[in-house]
Amino acid sequence: MDQTVENQAMAPKAAPMSESEKNTIIGGVLLSMLLAALDQTIVAPALPTIARALGHAEYLPWIVTGYLLTATAVAPLYGKISDVYGRRPVIHAGILIFLLGSLVSALAPNMLVLVIGRAIQGAGGGGLFALAQTVIGDLVPPRERARYAAWISGTWAVASVAGPLLGGVFAEHLHWSLIFWINLPIGILAMAIVNNPLKKLPIAAKHHRIDGLGAVLLVVATALLLLALSWGGSTYPWFSSQILGLVACSAAFWFFFALRLQLAAEPLVSLEVLGNPIVLAGTLSMFLLQAANIGASVYLPVYLQSVVGLSVSESGTAMLGLLLGTVAGAAFSGRMIPRFVHYKRIAMIGISLAIVCIGVLSAIAGHASLLEVEILTTLIGLGSGTTFPVATVSVQNAVDRAHLGVATGVLTFLRTLGGALGVAMLGAVALGYGLPLAAEGSQTHIPLTSAMPFVMIFLTAGITLVLTLITLALMPEKELRGADEHAAPVLAE
């Protein structure tokens, strides 16, 4: 704790910054976040075209997996590095790495080079999510920060809607490589916008060092775990020697990483930060929430096609209720947080609403009308969306400025990892109950017995949301700091 106080005293004071400069920076970092978010949604519609152009269709999943592996693994590293070297050079590095990967992908002559390009993209894009929220944390005190959650949710909404549309148009009417070329002007614009204003942000912990060995152990442990989750149940059976071997190797590297955190003079992730009960509960709640949300959203279109009888394009449109509900929930929560002393209750009420609605959806899954599904999924999104600003602001409010990047990086890391785990978990449930294939364009109403896989998928997601609610209930609540108050100590009171 003394070291933290000393660091705060030694940290240079930020130059005065106008509201227009703050908004310019926030707009620029959100544009960089859009860059990375768009590339997670724009690729899927182009995959069949890419397979015809480059061949080796059996490696198509690696176009998605390659990005996911590196993006998830590096997220905590960017937070720590930006705490040590400053936000501006690290944001520039993240965008440049992402653009390099985009260039390699656009010029790829074969599938192998494309997968390598996607992995390079992930190595840059994985840090942009955490850095955008970290920079907002630098500029805006916690009491006012929640209102920017709507901007972040809106960025994801734009990516979720525009990505598939652009990917389909580029692949069908122009050329598939445009899904990567489009990143270059967006990335250059983002760098130009934030370049000068970010110079006014001080370096929070410039006398600290990066634990290289800890970083390697974390990246390898995460990559092995994600490989197991990606291959399990699809490429190999869940209990095959390949999957069990990957899980065992990942567990070994996680053990060595935990040991490194204990022994390193300055570990990659501060034990004080990890031991903070607010950080621990806040990050865990986001992990569980994303496991339920992302997992359910992957199988919801399949449900809409197989049971409700929608076409592929119609099921995509029907997903807007869940998406827009999530954005609205985050925006509402962000506006309400500064007005409530016990702001955590906003998320707890929201998650409770989502639990009830997904429970109802599982009960009527075999005979629900499209209108009923739309209402329920919109309410699920509305309820779960309230948690994002509450968890983010709570975690950032619980640490001092020198550890803001690390805490936000850990939050982003577990949020992404939770999504990957949720897809694998609900996929295992679906396979266990004999999930039927999507019936594109089918208008035949499938009886309740055929809807059983989706009943169990929605129930499993609901149970995960119950665990999210319990975690939020256990999270300590700390009064939010205002603009005129000093930064919090690393350990919450």
Side-chain angles (χ1 to χ4, degrees), residues 73-103:
V74 303
L77 308 185
Y78 275 90
K80 177 69 173 182
I81 294 170
S82 71
D83 281 342
V84 176
Y85 296 107
R87 315 298 185 211
R88 178 173 168 269
V90 179
I91 287 177
H92 283 342
I95 294 176
L96 288 174
I97 293 171
F98 184 87
L99 295 184
L100 173 62
S102 299
L103 187 62

Side-chain angles (χ1 to χ4, degrees), residues 37 92 273 314 339 381 478:
H92 283 342
V273 170
E314 289 171 339
R339 305 180 185 183
K478 186 178 181 65

Side-chain angles (χ1 to χ4, degrees), residues 462-473:
I463 292 171
T464 308
L465 288 178
V466 171
L467 295 176
T468 305
L469 179 62
I470 294 172
T471 305
L472 281 172

Side-chain angles (χ1 to χ4, degrees), residues 411-434:
L411 181 70
T412 304
F413 169 71
L414 285 177
R415 175 176 173 170
T416 308
L417 189 61
L421 180 63
V423 173
M425 174 182 67
L426 296 186
V429 171
L431 289 172
Y433 282 87

Side-chain angles (χ1 to χ4, degrees), residues 118-402:
R118 288 288 288 165
I120 296 173
Q121 274 191 304
L128 297 179
F129 300 122
L131 288 172
Q133 294 186 80
T134 302
V135 168
I136 292 174
D138 288 328
L139 296 172
V140 185
R143 192 173 296 163
E144 304 170 20
R145 196 175 300 159
R147 61 190 175 96
Y148 290 94
W151 293 26
I152 296 173
S153 299
T155 301
W156 278 102
V158 170
S160 300
V161 175
L165 292 176
L166 289 174
V169 170
F170 289 162
E172 185 176 353
H173 301 291
L174 298 170
H175 193 271
W176 63 265
S177 64
L178 284 174
I179 65 178
F180 302 113
W181 286 118
I182 194 177
N183 294 328
L184 271 65
I186 297 176
I188 292 171
L189 177 62
M191 291 178 65
I193 289 174
V194 301
N195 182 54
N196 287 327
L198 276 180
K199 293 177 181 178
K200 293 188 176 183
L201 282 182
I203 299 175
K206 65 179 181 179
H207 300 293
H208 289 224
R209 295 176 299 173
I210 303 296
D211 178 19
L213 177 58
V216 171
L217 291 173
L218 175 62
V219 168
V220 174
T222 305
L224 290 171
L225 177 59
L226 287 175
L227 278 177
L229 295 176
S230 299
W231 284 347
S234 55
T235 306
Y236 303 103
W238 278 108
F239 293 101
S240 65
S241 58
Q242 292 89 342
I243 299 302
L244 293 177
L246 284 172
V247 172
C249 290
S250 176
F253 275 96
W254 281 116
F255 171 78
F256 289 125
F257 176 67
L259 193 63
R260 179 65 182 176
L261 292 182
Q262 296 284 342
L263 299 178
E266 187 171 342
L268 185 68
V269 181
S270 167
L271 291 177
E272 289 181 302
V273 170
L274 288 178
N276 185 316
I278 298 178
V279 174
L280 185 62
T283 53
L284 183 57
S285 67
M286 288 299 296
F287 173 84
L288 292 167
L289 177 65
Q290 285 297 86
N293 273 9
I294 301 299
S297 66
V298 166
Y299 290 98
L300 183 58
V302 184
Y303 166 74
L304 291 167
Q305 296 166 44
S306 299
V307 179
V308 181
L310 302 184
S311 68
V312 174
S313 59
E314 289 171 339
S315 67
T317 303
M319 290 288 291
L320 286 176
L322 178 65
L323 172 66
L324 297 178
T326 303
V327 174
F332 172 78
S333 178
R335 287 184 175 275
M336 291 297 105
I337 285 175
R339 305 180 185 183
F340 285 83
V341 175
H342 299 291
Y343 52 89
K344 186 177 71 173
R345 295 176 185 175
I346 300 170
M348 294 179 66
I349 293 172
I351 289 293
S352 298
L353 172 65
I355 292 169
V356 171
C357 291
I358 203 167
V360 173
L361 181 60
S362 66
I364 66 172
H367 53 83
S369 67
L370 177 59
L371 178 60
E372 290 170 332
V373 174
E374 284 293 283
I375 292 173
L376 289 171
T377 54
T378 300
L379 291 175
I380 290 169
L382 186 68
S384 60
T386 60
T387 304
F388 293 105
V390 170
T392 301
V393 171
S394 296
V395 168
Q396 292 184 335
N397 185 61
V399 299
D400 64 356
R401 183 184 179 86

